[in-house]
C-alpha cells in the first residue's frame, strides 16, 4: 500500500483537503497531529513529559497545551526533547494503524512532515499552500489566538518556497472548488503511480 504524506503550513487547509480525499474517494487519513495529542495523555508518554516539563504540563488528565507551548516554543532544546518523546510514539502508532487499512493508498496528514524528515517514509507527498494573509485569516476565524501568535507559529515551519521543490504534488488552496478538481486529478495519478521503494 502506498503511503502519501499531506502537509502544509498552519491555515493552509491541509486537513480540509485530506478530509475531501476521505469523503470523496474513501481514502483513509491518519491525522498525525491529532493522534500526537491523544498519545500525549497516554500513561507512558505522560510520565516522560512530566519528567521533562514538570507536573504543570497536565491539568488533571488533560495536557495543558498553553503551558507546554510556553515552555517549548522559545527553547529549541526543550522542543527537541519533547519531539524525541512524541514523534517515535506517533511513528509506531501510524505503522500499527496503516497495517489495518485496506485501500490503494493512505494519507498521513502532518504539519511538519519535511521539518522532521518523515517525508522519507512516504512514497509521495502532497503540499497544500495558500497565501500568508489567507492562512492568517483562516486561523484567526478558527482558533482563539492573535496574529502575532500565528506568525510566531509560522516562523517555526518551513516556508512554502522551501517545501514546493520537495513535494510531488502541490495544491494551491485558495478556491475550494479548484482544490477539489486538483484532488481528483492527484487521486487518479496516485492510483496509477508505483510504490516508491
Amino acid at each position: 500500500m502506498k503511503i502519501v504524506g499531506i502537509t502544509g503550513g498552519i491555515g493552509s487547509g491541509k486537513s480540509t483537503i485530506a478530509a475531501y480525499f476521505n469523503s470523496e474517494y474513501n481514502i483513509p487519513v491518519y491525522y498525525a497531529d491529532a493522534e500526537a495529542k491523544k498519545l500525549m495523555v497516554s500513561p507512558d508518554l505522560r510520565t516522560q513529559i512530566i519528567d521533562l516539563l514538570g507536573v504543570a504540563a497536565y491539568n488533571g488528565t488533560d495536557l495543558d497545551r498553553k503551558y507546554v507551548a510556553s515552555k517549548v516554543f522559545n527553547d529549541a532544546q526543550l522542543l527537541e526533547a519533547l519531539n524525541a518523546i512524541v514523534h517515535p510514539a506517533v511513528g509506531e502508532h501510524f505503522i500499527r494503524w496503516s497495517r489495518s487499512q485496506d485501500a490503494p493508498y493512505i494519507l498521513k496528514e502532518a504539519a511538519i512532515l519535511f521539518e522532521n524528515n518523515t517525508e522519507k517514509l512516504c512514497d509521495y507527498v502532497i503540499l497544500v499552500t495558500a497565501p500568508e494573509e489567507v492562512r492568517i485569516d483562516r486561523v484567526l476565524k478558527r482558533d482563539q489566538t492573535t496574529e502575532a501568535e500565528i506568525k510566531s507559529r509560522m516562523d517555526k515551519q518551513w516556508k512554502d518556497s522551501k517545501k514546493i521543490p520537495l513535494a510531488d504534488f502541490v495544491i494551491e488552496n485558495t478556491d475550494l472548488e479548484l482544490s477539489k478538481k486538483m484532488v481528483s486529478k492527484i487521486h487518479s495519478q496516485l492510483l496509477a503511480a508505483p510504490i516508491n521503494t
Side-chain angles (χ1 to χ4, degrees), residues 4-8 14 17-18 21 107-111 113 125-126 128:
V4 180
I6 182 162
T7 191
K14 64 190 172 300
I17 298 298
F21 270 96
L107 287 180
K108 182 180 186 183
E109 190 258 27
L113 197 73
V125 175
I126 300 164
V128 182

Side-chain angles (χ1 to χ4, degrees), residues 76-138:
Q77 278 186 310
L78 214 49
L79 179 60
E80 199 174 309
L82 180 63
N83 286 341
I85 294 167
V86 178
H87 289 166
V90 173
E92 286 171 26
H93 186 261
F94 171 71
I95 290 166
R96 288 197 304 275
W97 174 87
S98 64
R99 286 179 182 147
S100 68
Q101 304 307 312
D102 181 23
Y105 65 92
I106 52 176
L107 287 180
K108 182 180 186 183
E109 190 258 27
I112 54 167
L113 197 73
F114 292 116
E115 290 89 336
N116 65 18
N117 243 8
T118 48
E119 87 283 357
K120 290 188 167 69
L121 305 172
C122 300
D123 295 287
Y124 300 95
V125 175
I126 300 164
L127 173 64
V128 182
T129 66
E132 191 172 293
E133 63 274 12
V134 172
R135 291 166 56 198
I136 290 168
D137 187 50
R138 284 174 181 164

Side-chain angles (χ1 to χ4, degrees), residues 3 25 31 61 69 119 122 136 146 192:
I3 298 171
Y25 302 106
Y31 293 95
T61 55
E119 87 283 357
C122 300
I136 290 168
T146 64

Side-chain angles (χ1 to χ4, degrees), residues 145-158:
T145 188
T146 64
E147 191 167 328
E149 284 175 352
I150 297 164
K151 285 186 171 174
S152 171
R153 286 171 71 185
M154 284 179 165
D155 288 342
K156 303 277 187 298
Q157 298 176 345
W158 288 7

Side-chain angles (χ1 to χ4, degrees), residues 3-197:
I3 298 171
V4 180
I6 182 162
T7 191
I10 181 173
S12 62
K14 64 190 172 300
S15 300
T16 302
I17 298 298
Y20 185 71
F21 270 96
N22 178 257
S23 63
E24 192 68 17
Y25 302 106
N26 209 27
I27 299 300
V29 182
Y30 183 88
Y31 293 95
D33 301 338
E35 294 300 336
K37 284 170 187 163
K38 287 184 204 166
L39 288 167
M40 286 167 87
V41 295
S42 67
D44 183 37
L45 265 65
R46 182 188 172 96
T47 303
Q48 293 179 64
I49 291 166
I50 287 173
D51 287 346
L52 181 69
L53 301 173
V55 289
Y58 290 86
N59 192 349
T61 55
D62 296 326
L63 187 73
D64 187 332
R65 296 189 203 298
K66 285 214 160 172
Y67 173 82
V68 171
S70 72
K71 295 290 280 185
V72 303
F73 255 48
N74 295 311
D75 186 328
Q77 278 186 310
L78 214 49
L79 179 60
E80 199 174 309
L82 180 63
N83 286 341
I85 294 167
V86 178
H87 289 166
V90 173
E92 286 171 26
H93 186 261
F94 171 71
I95 290 166
R96 288 197 304 275
W97 174 87
S98 64
R99 286 179 182 147
S100 68
Q101 304 307 312
D102 181 23
Y105 65 92
I106 52 176
L107 287 180
K108 182 180 186 183
E109 190 258 27
I112 54 167
L113 197 73
F114 292 116
E115 290 89 336
N116 65 18
N117 243 8
T118 48
E119 87 283 357
K120 290 188 167 69
L121 305 172
C122 300
D123 295 287
Y124 300 95
V125 175
I126 300 164
L127 173 64
V128 182
T129 66
E132 191 172 293
E133 63 274 12
V134 172
R135 291 166 56 198
I136 290 168
D137 187 50
R138 284 174 181 164
V139 180
L140 283 171
K141 286 175 181 166
R142 183 187 77 194
D143 299 345
Q144 289 183 311
T145 188
T146 64
E147 191 167 328
E149 284 175 352
I150 297 164
K151 285 186 171 174
S152 171
R153 286 171 71 185
M154 284 179 165
D155 288 342
K156 303 277 187 298
Q157 298 176 345
W158 288 7
K159 300 275 182 239
D160 286 343
S161 56
K162 188 173 180 180
K163 292 186 275 195
I164 287 168
L166 303 172
D168 299 288
F169 306 97
V170 178
I171 297 174
E172 171 70 26
N173 185 33
T174 47
D175 178 316
L176 191 55
E177 289 312 307
L178 285 176
S179 295
K180 286 177 178 179
K181 285 177 183 169
M182 280 295 297
V183 168
S184 173
K185 188 177 171 187
I186 291 167
H187 174 68
S188 297
Q189 289 175 290
L190 286 170
L191 290 179
I195 292 175
N196 277 337
T197 49

